[in-house]
Structures are given as C-alpha cells and as structure tokens.
Amino acid sequence: MFTLTANESILRAARKSDEMLEPYEWKRSRTVLRRERASNRPDLADYSPLVKAMQGEVIHISATSENHINAMDMNSDYGDGANPVILKSEFILSLCEQLIGGASLGAKQKSIIDRCTASVYRYYQQGNYMGTPPTLQDFREELLKQDEPEAQEIALAIELFTDGSLNTFAKHTNVDTHSRLICYDILDLGKQLQPIGMLVVLDSILNRITMNRAKGRNTFIFIDEIYLLFQHEYSANFLFTLWKRVRKYRAYCTGITQNVDDLLQSHTARTMLANSEFIIMLNQASTDRIELAKLLNISDLQMSYITNVGAGQGLLKVGSSLVPFVNKFPRNTELYKLMTTKFGEC
C-alpha cells in the first residue's frame, strides 16, 4: 500500500479551465467532505504518528530541511510506454514557468528548455535509467552552455531555486521514496517554495504510481486539504491530469477537505467532484449544503443527514445512490489514539 499525505496542504488540487473529465466505467476517484470550522486555518491533521507506527516514511520538506526530493527524478516507466523524457519535458516546462514567476514561456524559451532537458537526461537514458539522475543544478548548467540569450535569462531566473537559498528541490533525493507508506509533510514550505514544492511532490507521486503499475501493484493516494491545490495554477493543472490518469495505473485517489465552499468555487474542482464515484459527506455548513445539493442532486430529506449531525455521521454517494451512515470509531483502541486530533486526546 502506498499512501501520500502532508500536514496542512497534503497535495493541493486541480484546474484546467473548461476541460471536462470523460466518463468511464470504473472510477477510482473519491472525495471526503468535512465541515469547515470557524477558523480560516485548515484542520491540521498530523499523520506522522500513524505513519511511523506502521513503519512508513515521513518526509518533512522545507527550505531549511535536510530532506530533499530531486525534481528531476524519473524511472523508465514514467512515460507510459513512450519516451519518458517527453513527458518529463512537459513537467520541466511547467516547473520553469513557475520558477520564473508564473509568466508564460515563449516559443524560443520552450524550445531551449526542451533541448536542455533531453541533453541532461541523455546519459541517464543510455544507462537504462539506472544510476544517478540529473538535478536542476545540472539543468541550469546546461542552459548556461547554450548560445541563445534567452537561455541565459532562464538560467538567471531559476538560479535562486537551483544554486540559491531555495534549492531544496535541486539536490539528489536523500529520503526513502520506495517505502510502502509515505507521508509528505509540506506544511513548512513557505510561500515562495509552496507552488514549486507541490508540483515536485505530485511528480514524485506519479513516479511511484508508474513504478507500482509496472510491478502489478495498486497505489492509494490520500490528499488532505485538497482545496489548497486550487490556489496554484500549475500544481492544479498537474493534479487535474493526474486525477484523470490514475485509474489507468491501478491507483485510487482520495481527496479530503473541510473547506467545501472554497473547493466549489473552482470549475475544475466541481467537475472532479461531480465525476467522483465515491463521496463521503460529513456535517456541512448551510452554504455548503446548498451548493452540494445543486451539484449532486441531493433532496432536502437526504440533506438532513449532513445537517447538525455528530461526528462519524453523514451521507455516502456511491455511483448514483445516496446512503446515510453512522460510523462510531471505538475510542479504546491504539488506532484511535494515533489518529485523533481532538484537543486533550492528542
């Protein structure tokens, strides 16, 4: 089993304007909707004790952390049967756009980035994707070798994130990304690194999904506070694509949020929610209930099951069916002690 989480912003979700999710028979996308609390701060669920108790890997990532994930990590199955570098080049293009401030790249800049991406991966490919993959520092050095002034401009723009103080994703991976259970903790990334960090973490997940698929293994992804991903265009686009693709890769993606109102403001999020096969709705605020009723065609009687109800009670949407439920988790268990976030019980 592979599980991905992160404290405040465990992965953050998807946007791609008017593109819609195509219908399919066996949907593997799920959503859990919780009630928003009075505070504007997300409900910080600390998964570290649970993951550690199950001998999983907790990866804390920040500008000052000693843990690093190489943004250019790539396995031979990354390309889904095609040349992996082609798909990775698209990721590097998005990453560079984010690194230079979210500005759209021109045709010359894209050509240069694509050329340099292929160049830095050449020896890694020739070695059958074994050994040490290149890093963003190698990528910048390749940019500096190019004659075009645009290449020098890109190299200067990304210097802060490759050789400067925010270079945490420009170093070789030094954590165990092959553990059966992984928790990515990106709470402390900060505003400058957060959009980039979310892209890198999502790409790391894609690497693991494709690797598991090649071995005939299922992958389970849990994205807590998923609404936060919609705040950044590039990570949103990446996750939107991932959300559609994972069902083909033997992966099950579950998004969790308590900020339903923020989630429903995004057209793409609404599309993803409407196309989720399995939805758990717990106690909802009044404004959220109205929007959910419209989106999911929930009757007034059915909405009563998510109106002023206690913990562990709510409504399940499975396909076209809506089923009320009560799930009282036993408190006198080790699992409860590891999972509870209630004040005084933690």
Side-chain angles (χ1 to χ4, degrees):
M1 174 181 177
F2 171 71
T3 307
L4 178 112
T5 57
N7 261 359
E8 178 173 69
S9 52
I10 303 182
L11 280 58
R12 318 200 158 179
R15 171 191 173 281
K16 198 173 182 182
S17 289
D18 298 322
E19 184 174 358
M20 301 293 287
L21 295 177
E22 69 271 21
Y24 47 90
E25 294 181 358
W26 181 242
K27 302 180 184 178
R28 297 187 175 187
S29 301
R30 313 161 182 201
T31 307
V32 180
L33 305 177
R34 305 178 298 194
R35 182 176 182 178
E36 182 178 4
R37 298 184 178 178
S39 170
N40 289 327
R41 188 172 175 81
D43 184 17
L44 305 184
D46 186 4
Y47 295 89
S48 299
L50 178 63
V51 173
K52 289 178 180 178
M54 295 185 173
Q55 301 181 342
E57 182 81 1
V58 178
I59 304 175
H60 299 279
I61 308 171
S62 71
T64 57
S65 172
E66 294 182 358
N67 297 331
H68 304 292
I69 297 177
N70 182 6
M72 300 193 72
D73 278 346
M74 181 180 67
N75 64 74
S76 59
D77 301 300
Y78 187 89
D80 192 20
N83 183 355
V85 175
I86 295 175
L87 185 59
K88 193 67 176 186
S89 180
E90 293 181 12
F91 167 74
I92 298 299
L93 283 170
S94 296
L95 189 63
C96 285
E97 286 185 333
Q98 188 67 70
L99 291 175
I100 64 177
S104 297
L105 296 170
K108 288 184 179 180
Q109 293 170 313
K110 290 181 179 179
S111 294
I112 292 169
I113 291 171
D114 183 69
R115 180 204 311 159
C116 291
T117 300
S119 180
V120 295
Y121 276 115
R122 184 170 294 116
Y123 291 112
Y124 186 58
Q125 276 191 297
Q126 290 174 353
N128 197 28
Y129 304 95
M130 304 295 289
T132 304
T135 65
L136 286 176
Q137 293 177 344
D138 299 321
F139 175 72
R140 181 174 179 271
E141 290 178 5
E142 189 66 26
L143 284 170
L144 291 172
K145 295 177 183 178
Q146 310 305 305
D147 296 329
E148 297 90 347
E150 291 86 355
Q152 311 305 310
E153 292 174 1
I154 298 170
L156 178 60
I158 69 173
E159 181 180 358
L160 174 64
F161 301 96
T162 58
D163 299 273
S165 59
L166 300 180
N167 66 347
T168 188
F169 298 111
K171 302 178 181 180
H172 291 294
T173 299
N174 63 355
V175 292
D176 182 11
T177 57
H178 297 283
S179 174
R180 291 181 65 250
L181 182 63
I182 301 176
C183 172
Y184 288 93
D185 181 353
I186 55 179
L187 171 63
D188 298 320
L189 272 179
K191 291 185 178 180
Q192 292 294 320
L193 268 179
Q194 194 176 80
I196 302 158
M198 289 187 291
L199 262 180
V200 174
V201 168
L202 287 169
D203 189 66
S204 180
I205 296 168
L206 179 58
N207 261 298
R208 183 58 184 273
I209 290 173
T210 54
M211 187 184 303
N212 283 353
R213 180 198 184 199
K215 296 177 180 178
R217 297 174 181 171
N218 294 334
T219 307
F220 296 86
I221 311 160
F222 295 88
I223 309 171
D224 201 1
E225 300 305 347
I226 193 171
Y227 80 96
L228 292 166
L229 277 163
F230 290 92
Q231 297 177 359
H232 303 285
E233 179 180 359
Y234 296 97
S235 59
N237 289 344
F238 197 98
L239 181 58
F240 181 84
T241 303
L242 188 68
W243 193 270
K244 293 195 303 178
R245 291 175 61 192
V246 293
R247 70 182 184 275
K248 304 174 184 176
Y249 296 167
R250 302 184 59 155
Y252 298 81
C253 189
T254 299
I256 308 170
T257 186
Q258 65 180 15
N259 296 76
V260 181
D261 185 55
D262 289 342
L263 188 73
L264 296 179
Q265 289 180 20
S266 166
H267 168 74
T268 307
R270 295 176 70 94
T271 303
M272 291 169 62
L273 184 60
N275 282 272
S276 292
E277 180 73 3
F278 183 78
I279 299 176
I280 301 175
M281 290 168 279
L282 302 177
N283 192 37
Q284 302 294 316
S286 58
T287 53
D288 295 336
R289 291 197 302 268
I290 294 171
E291 292 301 316
L292 287 171
K294 293 178 182 176
L295 182 66
L296 303 175
N297 195 26
I298 304 174
S299 69
D300 292 339
L301 176 60
Q302 291 167 330
M303 292 303 290
S304 67
Y305 293 106
I306 55 175
T307 304
N308 299 321
V309 295
Q313 301 179 48
L315 197 63
L316 295 176
K317 177 183 178 293
V318 185
S320 59
S321 302
L322 289 162
V323 183
F325 72 92
V326 177
N327 180 25
K328 300 295 184 181
F329 198 92
R331 296 191 177 191
N332 59 338
T333 62
E334 288 300 317
L335 272 179
Y336 182 86
K337 294 174 184 178
L338 289 169
M339 294 188 298
T340 182
T341 58
K342 288 186 178 179
F343 181 75
E345 293 183 348
C346 303

